[in-house]
Amino acid sequence: MAAIYQTAYPRIKSDITEDELGDVYTPTPEDQKFALRHCKRTSASFLGLLIQLKITQRLGRFVNLGEIPKVIITHIKNQCRSRVTLKDLQTYYTSGAKDRHVKLIRRHLNIKAYDAAKTSELAQIWALEAATTKEALPDIINVTLEYLVKERYELPAFSVLERICQAARAEVNTRYYDQLCGFLESESRQCINDILRSSTGLNGFGWSTLKNEPKRPTPRNIHAYIQYLEWLTSLQTLLPTDLGLPPVKHQQFINEAKALDYAELMKLKLNKRLALVIVLIRHQYAQTLDNAADIFIKMLLKMDRSAQKLLEKYLADHQKQTDHLISVLSGTVKVYLDKRRYQCRKVAEPE
């Protein structure tokens, strides 16, 4: 279920400000000219027509008088200086004049009536298109709303739109379940059935093992981790490289699978059950490989830090010896240079 406030579905706010009354619900000179072409200014029909017009401009649909806040009725009444009473308006809303005005307003605003058969069929097509790449019901509703407005259709009740979008999402998801199950051959289907025989499955590898995040490899559990990775590898090799799911659907199916325990999983329809297992196998395999890569990188970083510390210790331990060798070398060079200078001077002196 989607709350109406989570969507772009137009609605009348419960706390209408003076600014909103002035900007949204004040009849323009053009609005009043339109009403005067069909009613007398002093009649209840004139006020009723303006109220219907302003509400439809705001909501994109027609509503009953009881759904319109009194503050809006009073504001429009004051703006056109009408003396019509609420009882007169109630009489107008139950008259044939009100229905005739609905048709006039549709022509004036260039909107088409929402037909329960034809328009619903179009809305279903738009909702199916949106549900192909979206999972959140408010998102699907918003896309369908956008199409209805673009095509100049009067909006249906929110409950009608919600039911259409819910049905579209269920239909699209069922198609994806069938698509995933279509990838299974006899061998891969048997492997998944083995997983689902019980919560722990055969040889300790079942739904619980698959669903639970594997423990990160340590020296103590490295053998169990390798067994788990080998098991996942044997499963994922039976699946196609690309599952053909949009990212949003892929993540949603993963979240659904992780949220189900064994009893809840077994209550699902067969194709959905198998589809969730397929998606979770692929996800857990990728996650396990990522964890192994993280551990390997951390091991390399740890080795690098250890090597750096050993190098610093080696340099510190041999610093005195290095200093002594440099001192000896420096002295040797100095003696050599002094001897060369002495010999040069001796050769230069006359005998």
Side-chain angles (χ1 to χ4, degrees), residues 59-274:
L59 301 182
R61 68 187 190 280
F62 296 91
V63 299
N64 297 323
L65 182 62
E67 299 176 54
I68 305 172
K70 290 183 179 180
V71 64
I72 294 177
I73 296 173
T74 302
H75 175 76
I76 297 175
K77 178 181 174 181
N78 292 338
Q79 289 297 312
C80 60
R81 295 184 176 87
S82 174
R83 296 183 180 180
V84 172
T85 64
L86 183 59
K87 185 176 180 180
D88 294 332
L89 272 179
Q90 290 171 342
T91 302
Y92 163 78
Y93 265 82
T94 57
S95 68
K98 180 256 185 185
D99 295 331
R100 289 195 301 272
H101 290 169
V102 166
K103 296 177 182 178
L104 291 173
I105 290 171
R106 283 177 181 148
R107 284 203 299 269
H108 180 66
L109 298 180
N110 190 28
I111 58 175
K112 293 172 277 190
Y114 186 91
D115 183 83
K118 182 180 177 181
T119 317
S120 288
E121 186 177 343
L122 286 173
Q124 289 167 7
I125 293 171
W126 296 328
L128 284 169
E129 180 183 340
T132 302
T133 56
K134 299 182 185 301
E135 178 62 26
L137 191 56
D139 293 339
I140 300 172
I141 291 174
N142 287 343
V143 171
T144 309
L145 272 174
E146 187 177 345
Y147 275 112
L148 286 167
V149 172
K150 180 182 176 182
E151 298 298 325
R152 308 293 300 176
Y153 277 105
E154 184 181 322
L155 299 183
F158 181 77
S159 58
V160 172
L161 196 59
E162 185 181 36
R163 283 197 299 272
I164 289 173
C165 293
Q166 280 180 325
R169 182 177 63 176
E171 182 177 337
V172 168
N173 286 349
T174 299
R175 290 179 192 171
Y176 283 128
Y177 300 148
D178 295 343
Q179 172 184 308
L180 291 171
C181 291
F183 293 140
L184 297 178
E185 297 180 356
S186 57
E187 183 182 358
S188 52
R189 186 177 288 269
Q190 182 59 48
C191 287
I192 292 179
N193 287 334
D194 290 342
I195 294 173
L196 298 177
R197 285 183 186 278
S198 66
S199 178
T200 54
L202 298 176
N203 302 320
F205 290 110
W207 174 249
S208 297
T209 315
L210 178 63
K211 192 183 77 164
N212 295 332
E213 294 292 335
K215 294 181 179 179
R216 300 181 75 82
T218 64
R220 292 185 178 182
N221 72 350
I222 190 66
H223 181 67
Y225 188 87
I226 291 174
Q227 278 188 321
Y228 180 78
L229 181 57
E230 288 176 344
W231 176 63
L232 285 178
T233 302
S234 67
L235 292 175
Q236 74 88 29
T237 52
L238 301 175
L239 302 177
T241 305
D242 182 12
L243 297 180
L245 294 175
V248 171
K249 294 293 183 182
H250 190 268
Q251 188 59 52
Q252 173 63 26
F253 292 170
I254 291 170
N255 294 340
E256 276 192 63
K258 286 184 175 182
L260 296 172
D261 61 25
Y262 180 73
E264 293 168 332
L265 179 72
M266 297 308 291
K267 292 178 182 178
L268 301 178
K269 291 182 179 179
L270 178 61
N271 277 11
K272 181 175 183 179
R273 187 191 319 154
L274 296 177

Side-chain angles (χ1 to χ4, degrees), residues 271-295:
N271 277 11
K272 181 175 183 179
R273 187 191 319 154
L274 296 177
L276 293 184
V277 175
I278 291 169
V279 171
L280 192 58
I281 288 172
R282 178 56 54 80
H283 171 74
Q284 294 295 67
Y285 176 71
Q287 187 65 48
T288 304
L289 288 182
D290 287 346
N291 289 343
D294 288 342
I295 294 298

Side-chain angles (χ1 to χ4, degrees), residues 321-336:
Q321 184 179 356
T322 302
D323 291 344
H324 175 69
L325 291 174
I326 291 174
S327 176
V328 171
L329 179 61
S330 177
T332 303
V333 171
K334 184 178 181 182
V335 169
Y336 174 78

